[in-house]
Amino acid sequence: MLTKTPEISVIIPAYNAESYLAGCLDSVIDQEFTSWELIVADDGSTDATGKICDGYASKDDRIKVLHTANNGVSESRNACLDIAKGKYLIFGDADDIFERDCLKKLYDQAEKTQADIVQCSFCYLIGDKKTEDTDAVDALYQGKDDIMMAFFRGATGDIRVSAWAKLYRRESFLNVRFVSGLRVYEDAYYVFECCLNARSVLSFSSPLYVYRQHEESTMHLRLSEIYPDYFKVFDKQREDLNGNKTVLKMLTLRETENSLWLMSEVNSAGKSKELWNFRKLALKHAGTILISKVPIILKLKLIGLAVMPHLYFAMLKGRGISGNEKV
């Protein structure tokens, strides 16, 4: 029973999530740490999602449910943020799972270090098989430059672009919200904005969050419909960096890597006619990449894509190359 202001507000948007929602909610209820409120936003679902949410709320007064029109995940999270009361915030997706000690370990680290953001690691869940993330790091980042370098390092960052698997000190980010209308990569801009406002970010490598991958998830929607949102986010991040040349180069590298990865994904989906659009995006910053200190394989890809695009596409179809090498 919730008898005082909760230490942690758990925020979960849900849209047509009846297949997995109960498992997610149960994983919050079963937490070792008990001073939490759970805010679930039913985003205009047409299945049993709303009924499942109301059923859980009727049994535990720590659970609040918002029923809204289908406005998308960003608006759902923002609606939850508007009523959250916890000292800390944590986000989850309706098809994912919090390990039983997730909230406790994140909270203990936040209280101990006073970091504005505390990030744990995670496991991928495909079917019944869990696979730990192999790129998790243990580090404390302090100051804007150090934090931005960590956010943009490599393909996904030492500070990951996903909103989940992080505990946020709410008072540090009262004015940060998710961008409405983005269908994918909205996490990346929210986390980026939080990092711009953070004094310190702690990362530790305990896998406390379970990220479920399945064919109904957002990441498996048709990329031809959602890929422009990636580049909207890159453009917004570039505007906000205010001329930090080192970090801007890292952003440019990430944008190029994402273009190559999306090209590979579109090819796998049989959308070969769209490859030329991604070629243009991948080569947008080729000049900067070619004079930078980056893996030679990336430079060779860009040269091949620029000079011999038909051969590159043929090799892509034969899976002789891919777009997901990490930097």
Side-chain angles (χ1 to χ4, degrees), residues 45-305:
S45 298
T46 57
D47 64 1
T49 293
K51 184 179 293 186
I52 293 169
C53 292
D54 291 340
Y56 275 83
S58 69
K59 298 175 184 177
D60 192 323
D61 65 1
R62 294 174 297 177
I63 301 175
K64 301 179 178 69
V65 180
L66 301 178
H67 295 285
T68 66
N70 181 218
N71 295 318
V73 65
S74 293
E75 285 299 329
S76 292
R77 287 175 176 148
N78 288 341
C80 295
L81 286 170
D82 289 342
I83 65 170
K85 294 182 172 61
K87 181 178 180 180
Y88 297 100
L89 304 167
I90 189 169
F91 299 97
D93 285 345
D95 48 0
D96 294 343
I97 297 169
F98 297 85
E99 298 286 14
R100 193 166 185 271
D101 55 351
C102 179
L103 298 189
K104 183 179 188 308
K105 287 187 175 178
L106 285 167
Y107 178 84
D108 288 347
Q109 289 289 343
E111 291 289 286
K112 178 181 178 181
T113 65
Q114 292 299 297
D116 289 319
I117 303 172
V118 179
Q119 169 185 267
C120 64
S121 185
F122 64 95
C123 293
Y124 296 98
L125 178 62
I126 302 176
D128 296 326
K129 184 180 179 181
K130 281 185 182 180
T131 304
E132 287 188 22
D133 173 41
T134 57
D135 296 322
V137 296
D138 292 285
L140 177 64
Y141 306 103
Q142 296 179 295
K144 183 176 178 179
D145 288 346
D146 193 27
I147 292 170
M148 284 291 102
M149 293 278 283
F151 180 82
F152 283 107
R153 187 171 293 119
T156 56
D158 289 345
I159 301 173
R160 294 308 183 93
V161 299
S162 53
W164 41 256
K166 296 177 180 66
L167 195 68
Y168 305 80
R169 190 176 300 274
R170 187 168 67 90
E171 67 177 7
S172 298
F173 312 114
L174 292 175
N175 297 319
V176 181
R177 290 294 186 270
F178 289 84
V179 176
S180 300
L182 292 177
R183 295 156 295 179
V184 69
Y185 218 46
E186 77 289 337
D187 291 39
Y189 192 69
Y190 179 83
V191 178
F192 168 78
E193 286 284 292
C194 288
C195 285
L196 281 178
N197 288 277
R199 294 162 297 179
S200 61
V201 179
L202 176 72
S203 175
F204 67 104
S205 57
S206 297
L208 304 177
Y209 188 87
V210 180
Y211 171 42
R212 189 192 303 271
Q213 295 186 300
H214 56 88
E215 291 302 317
E216 297 172 30
S217 66
T218 301
M219 290 307 295
H220 288 86
L221 294 175
R222 289 181 65 240
L223 283 170
S224 60
E225 297 175 357
I226 65 176
Y227 82 82
D229 289 357
Y230 283 95
F231 300 94
K232 291 177 185 177
V233 171
F234 292 133
D235 287 342
K236 290 177 71 66
Q237 290 173 335
R238 189 170 280 106
E239 290 174 6
D240 292 345
L241 284 171
N242 296 320
N244 186 323
K245 292 183 179 180
T246 300
V247 178
L248 280 170
K249 284 184 178 180
M250 297 172 77
L251 167 58
T252 296
L253 179 59
R254 177 172 293 175
E255 184 174 357
T256 302
E257 285 265 313
N258 269 267
S259 301
L260 293 171
W261 169 72
L262 285 164
M263 184 182 295
S264 179
E265 292 296 300
V266 163
N267 175 70
S268 297
K271 304 292 182 180
S272 58
K273 291 181 180 179
E274 297 177 10
L275 291 176
W276 291 97
N277 293 334
F278 287 101
R279 175 180 181 268
K280 184 177 180 180
L281 290 167
L283 294 176
K284 180 179 177 182
H285 304 292
T288 300
I289 298 297
L290 291 174
I291 63 173
S292 300
K293 191 179 293 185
V294 300
I296 188 64
I297 185 65
L298 179 57
K299 293 184 179 183
L300 291 174
K301 281 183 181 183
L302 293 178
I303 292 170
L305 190 57

